[in-house]
Amino acid sequence: MKKDWTKYQAFVIGPAITYAMILFMEYIDLIRVPSGAWISNTLGFLFYAFFISLAIHKYLAKGGALVRVGAGFGILTIVIFSIGYFTSNLQDNPLMILLMISFWLMLFYFILPEFFQKYRWLIVGLYGGSAVFFIYARLFTGSFELYESTYKVWALSLFLLPVPILLTLWFYEQWKWFRTLKAEKAKAELALLRSQVNPHFFFNTLNNLYSLVVHQSDKAPDVILKLSDMMRYTIYEGKKDRVPLKEEIEYLQRYIDLHKIRYQKEVDIKFEKPEETEATIAPLLLILPLENAFKHGVETMREGAFIHASVFEDDKKIVFRISNNFDEQTEETEKGIGLENLKKRLELLYPDQHKLEIEKEEGVFTVILELYES
């Protein structure tokens, strides 16, 4: 119960302060509340009470003392009393209007302190300019009748002008914040997806390398070199947004070469690629369907296994096609993350700029990926 009171106490204190201020200002004849207009009175009271409560709530949430909040409103009440006592007969009291503007700016500062600090000079400039024009129109244009017939509407309307400007800026700040949050979320998801690329491949290759070293095979140095290049590419190039397509193809070729060393059985592997290309691509993208072809295709076949892959450019798009056969009698006991990883990364990296087709029929699994240039 005590915890709930601490959390929502501002929304009890705010209406109490608002009601006390209204009664006090009505008592000193600074304002007059129509006795019959209960709807407008209620709506006006709720309007002021809500914003005052919100300001107190924001202030208390940041560790402000309740005494300091009360002191702030106490000072405001004293100033209102002084103005009302000495200048209550002055129509369109400039001091009263400027005080109300200051009061709303104080609430604005409490409710949105970061926004207020960022645009403080704009806010001061807008309201300062409005205040200067109002004081000039009210006090230095001649008689009150001239002010009321010619300048009053413009002078008071200028105080409303900053509202749509500041609201537009606030919505713009919220839009930027949302965009930044979305971008950070996408980066975090990409980092997680990239960390899932090839962990078991490196583990298996190290096991094979250990076997080659133990038997003092001549292939060991070549395996070490290729594995080192792949790890360098994964760690350093994998952080980039785009890499040359040529480097991604070289990465795939090293992956294929290492698998050829691993297998004792005959595997028909064909990889067609362009001799020259200037295109770029998101790193570690094409490796996912290739890894899937080895893991769920070649490794399930005792003989006659094949992987046919190709990369080419066609009409401002990159096309990657890979087919492999698999043993339909082999029951999958563990679902791979490769293709699901690929789909998620494509949604993040190539939104509305890709086409992924997956076909599975008569013991042949085919993936066709098209990436469109932006």
Side-chain angles (χ1 to χ4, degrees):
M1 185 70 179
K2 184 178 180 181
K3 185 177 181 181
D4 292 336
W5 159 250
T6 303
K7 186 175 181 180
Y8 298 107
Q9 61 179 325
F11 295 93
V12 177
I13 298 170
I17 291 177
T18 305
Y19 185 67
M21 289 178 60
I22 291 174
L23 288 179
F24 182 72
M25 288 188 288
E26 189 177 26
Y27 175 76
I28 63 175
D29 203 26
L30 188 60
I31 61 172
R32 293 180 181 177
V33 180
S35 57
W38 65 271
I39 296 179
S40 60
N41 292 344
T42 302
L43 292 176
F45 171 78
L46 292 176
F47 177 79
Y48 276 87
F50 172 75
F51 282 100
I52 291 173
S53 298
L54 189 59
I56 296 173
H57 177 73
K58 297 283 284 187
Y59 186 70
L60 293 177
K62 289 182 175 294
L66 185 59
V67 175
R68 292 175 61 187
V69 175
F73 282 101
I75 294 172
L76 177 65
T77 303
I78 293 172
V79 175
I80 291 175
F81 172 78
S82 301
I83 293 174
Y85 183 81
F86 292 111
T87 60
S88 57
N89 295 324
L90 183 61
Q91 292 177 297
D92 280 7
N93 185 340
L95 292 178
M96 186 64 205
I97 290 177
L98 293 179
L99 179 65
M100 292 304 298
I101 294 298
S102 301
F103 173 70
W104 281 109
L105 288 179
M106 179 181 70
L107 290 182
F108 187 26
Y109 173 74
F110 278 156
I111 295 171
L112 297 172
E114 293 83 6
F115 181 85
F116 193 94
Q117 284 289 341
K118 184 173 182 179
Y119 293 102
R120 60 185 181 278
W121 296 118
L122 175 63
I123 295 171
V124 171
L126 289 172
Y127 279 105
S130 302
V132 169
F133 180 78
F134 169 75
I135 292 173
Y136 168 77
R138 176 64 185 86
L139 300 178
F140 300 102
T141 54
S143 65
F144 177 78
E145 289 74 17
L146 178 63
Y147 157 76
E148 193 165 43
S149 62
T150 307
Y151 295 102
K152 181 175 181 177
V153 174
W154 290 103
L156 297 180
S157 297
L158 279 178
F159 287 114
L160 300 177
L161 179 63
V163 175
I165 297 175
L166 296 176
L167 278 177
T168 302
L169 280 174
W170 183 80
F171 280 113
Y172 172 70
E173 289 291 329
Q174 300 309 300
W175 176 80
K176 281 203 312 182
W177 172 81
F178 178 76
R179 293 275 295 184
T180 303
L181 185 66
K182 188 176 180 181
E184 290 177 352
K185 181 176 180 291
K187 287 182 179 179
E189 290 178 351
L190 276 176
L192 177 61
L193 291 172
R194 284 170 178 168
S195 70
Q196 295 173 346
V197 174
N198 286 332
H200 73 275
F201 163 73
F202 285 116
F203 179 75
N204 290 337
T205 304
L206 286 172
N207 281 338
N208 288 111
L209 178 59
Y210 174 78
S211 177
L212 293 173
V213 172
V214 168
H215 293 89
Q216 297 183 353
S217 172
D218 294 337
K219 296 179 180 179
D222 187 41
V223 171
I224 293 174
L225 182 60
K226 291 182 183 296
L227 184 61
S228 174
D229 288 340
M230 289 193 67
M231 293 183 71
R232 177 197 58 78
Y233 185 86
T234 302
I235 295 171
Y236 296 106
E237 302 303 313
K239 296 179 181 179
K240 299 179 180 179
D241 294 329
R242 290 289 187 275
V243 296
L245 176 59
K246 183 179 179 181
E247 293 184 8
E248 183 78 1
I249 290 174
E250 291 173 355
Y251 180 74
L252 299 182
Q253 188 62 62
R254 294 190 190 99
Y255 184 86
I256 292 172
D257 293 341
L258 285 175
H259 269 292
K260 286 181 178 179
I261 295 173
R262 284 185 57 208
Y263 295 125
Q264 303 297 324
K265 60 188 177 183
E266 188 71 24
V267 181
D268 177 20
I269 300 177
K270 295 179 181 177
F271 185 28
E272 299 179 13
K273 47 190 179 293
E275 294 182 1
E276 295 293 336
T277 175
E278 300 297 327
T280 60
I281 189 174
L284 305 176
L285 200 63
L286 304 184
I287 190 66
L288 297 171
L290 179 59
E291 178 186 24
N292 189 76
F294 277 104
K295 183 178 180 181
H296 301 288
V298 173
E299 294 184 8
T300 66
M301 302 287 293
R302 293 187 177 181
E303 59 182 17
F306 74 82
I307 294 178
H308 295 166
S310 63
V311 180
F312 61 91
E313 296 177 75
D314 179 32
D315 191 24
K316 293 186 178 180
K317 65 181 179 182
I318 298 171
V319 181
F320 178 65
R321 180 187 179 97
I322 182 168
S323 299
N324 64 275
N325 57 349
F326 62 95
D327 186 355
E328 294 182 282
Q329 303 302 319
T330 303
E331 184 178 355
E332 291 284 344
T333 58
E334 180 182 354
K335 186 177 180 181
I337 62 172
L339 293 181
E340 288 302 317
N341 190 320
L342 176 63
K343 292 176 183 178
K344 292 177 182 177
R345 290 194 65 198
L346 287 171
E347 291 173 1
L348 292 169
L349 295 169
Y350 291 91
D352 302 320
Q353 291 180 303
H354 74 275
K355 181 180 179 182
L356 179 65
E357 295 181 4
I358 300 176
E359 302 172 359
K360 187 177 182 181
E361 58 181 16
E362 297 182 358
V364 177
F365 193 87
T366 302
V367 175
I368 304 173
L369 173 61
E370 298 181 0
L371 304 174
Y372 309 108
E373 295 182 10
S374 57

